[in-house]
Amino acid sequence: LLMTPRYEKHIFVCIKDRPEGHPRGCCLEKGSMDIRNRFVQLINQHGLKGKVRANKSGCLDVCEMGINLVIYPDNLWYTGVTDSDVDEIFEKSVLNDDIVDRLAATEETWATCQKIRNNEL
């Protein structure tokens, strides 16, 4: 069986909603829906509807790190994303298969997230 992907790129933006003051944070209250909507605008502006998709996602399990998203099939994880980062992410990662280094999750990102959860920071 030869698998054919539905989309060339699939962007999942966390829109997890937690009660105000939750220790893990909440991507939705930080503006993640606006970020997802901007990706949709860019997809449409570049004529990529049907080739690239931006979906709302449940928790991606790194809410402590700010708004986060993942782009498949490249397995690019971005944390601490703001509205002002979306155009750059789209240009580099969606259109040009490149990485926005300052936002890309690394082993250090995952270690920091774990320290936050363990109240070590």
Side-chain angles (χ1 to χ4, degrees), residues 4 11-12 14 26 29 32 34 40 42-46 52 55 65 76 79 82 84-85 94-96 101 107 117 120:
T4 303
I11 306 161
F12 293 93
C14 178
C26 171
E29 77 178 13
S32 60
D34 292 337
V40 171
L42 290 167
I43 289 164
N44 291 333
Q45 285 174 10
H46 286 83
V52 176
N55 273 94
M65 306 307 292
L76 290 176
T79 61
T82 66
S84 62
D85 298 319
V94 175
L95 298 179
N96 293 302
D101 291 326
E107 287 300 320
R117 288 181 187 175
E120 296 172 10

Side-chain angles (χ1 to χ4, degrees), residues 65 111-121:
M65 306 307 292
T112 299
C113 186
Q114 192 59 51
K115 286 178 182 176
I116 291 169
R117 288 181 187 175
N118 293 341
N119 293 314
E120 296 172 10
L121 288 181

Side-chain angles (χ1 to χ4, degrees), residues 14-30 59-64 68 117:
C14 178
I15 62 157
K16 178 67 178 171
D17 189 15
R18 290 194 172 94
E20 189 175 333
H22 192 283
R24 293 204 53 207
C26 171
C27 290
L28 187 64
E29 77 178 13
K30 293 173 186 165
C59 187
L60 294 172
D61 202 30
V62 285
C63 295
E64 293 89 344
N68 54 89
R117 288 181 187 175

Side-chain angles (χ1 to χ4, degrees), residues 3-107:
M3 298 290 293
T4 303
R6 176 68 175 95
Y7 300 104
E8 293 172 17
K9 302 266 184 182
H10 209 146
I11 306 161
F12 293 93
V13 181
C14 178
I15 62 157
K16 178 67 178 171
D17 189 15
R18 290 194 172 94
E20 189 175 333
H22 192 283
R24 293 204 53 207
C26 171
C27 290
L28 187 64
E29 77 178 13
K30 293 173 186 165
S32 60
M33 188 64 80
D34 292 337
I35 286 172
R36 185 264 177 178
N37 291 340
R38 179 64 182 148
F39 275 114
V40 171
Q41 287 177 338
L42 290 167
I43 289 164
N44 291 333
Q45 285 174 10
H46 286 83
L48 294 173
K49 190 171 183 174
K51 294 181 179 184
V52 176
R53 177 129 179 123
N55 273 94
K56 297 174 278 189
S57 166
C59 187
L60 294 172
D61 202 30
V62 285
C63 295
E64 293 89 344
M65 306 307 292
I67 296 173
N68 54 89
L69 61 92
V70 62
I71 302 174
Y72 289 114
D74 305 317
N75 199 24
L76 290 176
W77 285 73
Y78 289 122
T79 61
V81 177
T82 66
D83 286 338
S84 62
D85 298 319
V86 176
D87 288 39
E88 181 181 7
I89 292 169
F90 190 84
E91 174 74 28
K92 283 194 171 183
S93 299
V94 175
L95 298 179
N96 293 302
D97 295 320
D98 199 358
I99 297 171
V100 180
D101 291 326
R102 66 186 169 72
L103 299 170
T106 63
E107 287 300 320

